[in-house]
Amino acid sequence: MPKVLLSVAVAGAAMVAMSAGPAAAATSTLQLVAPISQPYPSAPLAFSGSGDFTAAGRLVDVQIPPAATPNTSTSGCEAADFAGFPAGSIAIIQRGTCTFAVKAANAQAAGAVAVVIFNEGQPGRTDVVLGTLGGPGITIPVVGTTFAAGEQLFGLGQGIVLRVAVIPSACDAPPATGTPVTGKNVIVAQPGTVTVGTEGPDVIYGTTGPDRIAGGGGDDLIFGLDGADQLVGGDGADTLCGGADDDDLSGGAGADELAGDLGSNRLAGGEGTDTCSGFTTAASCEIQSGAVGP
């Protein structure tokens, strides 16, 4: 079985695994570093853990070429698939048969420090794997990629080095109200008023009630917190984080990140290249011209 050396990296972390909630518009990078330099498309799975790892990679019971029938590969679906799996390695798994959560849980139980899941390979199952682990419980990074990436890793054999980066959204862990954020003005919304950011970069905290907050001229970070909030981006590249209630988030002129939480949220992109992620099926993402959909 080919051995692959991978580096799984998450901003701000070093050889640490952490549990996570649903990734609020988190981003990832998958880069083949050696024997050639080549980027692969990738995406973090919702509820993935995060961390920063360099370790040997092991292909786990993959089926290449894939069977003609979709959903045939059982890669990673059984604990027996990981017999002899060296603890501290990175599991490279193929989509198919069981849920992503089962695959990731089996890898984690076998001592994997990270998981890469590539698509199965039949028509309609070749693009980047986009999905969810279904809920908390996986504490290691799990990213999805294309069938072409997995096929190339399989073919290259030993001596491969990859870099995988997952960067959580600022919405994943909002700081306590009033906490300074480096390089940003601190603004705390006042109940019953419209709070507007300055021309510089701001961090704006909502209250426990319904808030109306608008970003200003800089790259703003806005936390709705509790209450049914109305959050509107300004001219900069803003990050708008909804709270636990039914929020209305609208991007501005910059490249914005809109992240709803547990309510029935409406998230509408603006003029920039925006990302939009609603955590519930009741949330709607209305990405407008020039934007990237959920």
Side-chain angles (χ1 to χ4, degrees):
M1 179 176 294
K3 178 183 290 186
V4 184
L5 185 67
L6 301 107
S7 172
V8 178
V10 179
M15 293 303 296
V16 176
M18 298 171 287
S19 61
T27 58
S28 67
T29 300
L30 178 56
Q31 176 77 38
L32 177 61
V33 178
I36 60 174
S37 177
Q38 177 181 330
Y40 293 134
S42 66
L45 271 66
F47 292 100
S48 167
S50 60
D52 189 338
F53 300 93
T54 298
R58 288 297 181 109
L59 290 153
V60 178
D61 191 30
V62 303
Q63 189 173 359
I64 296 178
T69 303
N71 215 24
T72 300
S73 172
T74 61
S75 172
C77 291
E78 299 178 355
D81 292 343
F82 294 86
F85 184 89
S89 300
I90 295 172
I92 306 170
I93 301 175
Q94 187 175 20
R95 179 185 183 184
T97 303
C98 61
T99 66
F100 302 136
V102 168
K103 295 175 185 287
N106 285 336
Q108 182 171 275
V113 294
V115 177
V116 175
I117 300 177
F118 64 91
N119 220 330
E120 193 173 12
Q122 298 86 4
R125 294 171 74 86
T126 58
D127 293 339
V128 173
V129 169
L130 303 175
T132 177
L133 299 175
I138 302 301
T139 60
I140 58 177
V142 183
V143 301
T145 189
T146 63
F147 172 73
E151 185 178 41
Q152 185 176 47
L153 290 175
F154 179 83
L156 287 173
Q158 299 187 28
I160 296 172
V161 178
L162 285 177
R163 180 170 178 81
V164 179
V166 176
I167 303 173
S169 166
C171 297
D172 285 342
T177 298
T179 300
V181 174
T182 302
K184 295 184 183 296
N185 305 309
V186 177
I187 300 174
V188 178
Q190 298 301 310
T193 66
V194 177
T195 302
V196 180
T198 69
E199 287 304 308
D202 305 310
V203 54
I204 307 176
Y205 296 94
T207 68
T208 56
D211 298 305
R212 289 186 293 169
I213 302 174
D219 297 343
D220 300 320
L221 175 57
I222 303 176
F223 295 105
L225 304 180
D226 296 330
D229 304 312
Q230 291 179 304
L231 311 179
V232 180
D235 293 335
D238 303 316
T239 301
L240 281 60
C241 309
D245 292 284
D246 300 345
D247 302 315
D248 189 328
L249 284 64
S250 300
D256 304 316
E257 175 187 326
L258 290 72
D261 208 320
L262 301 180
S264 299
N265 307 297
R266 173 184 174 272
L267 302 91
E271 298 175 6
T273 301
D274 307 316
T275 61
C276 169
S277 61
F279 291 166
T280 68
T281 56
S284 65
C285 291
E286 303 170 14
I287 296 298
Q288 298 175 7
S289 176
V292 177

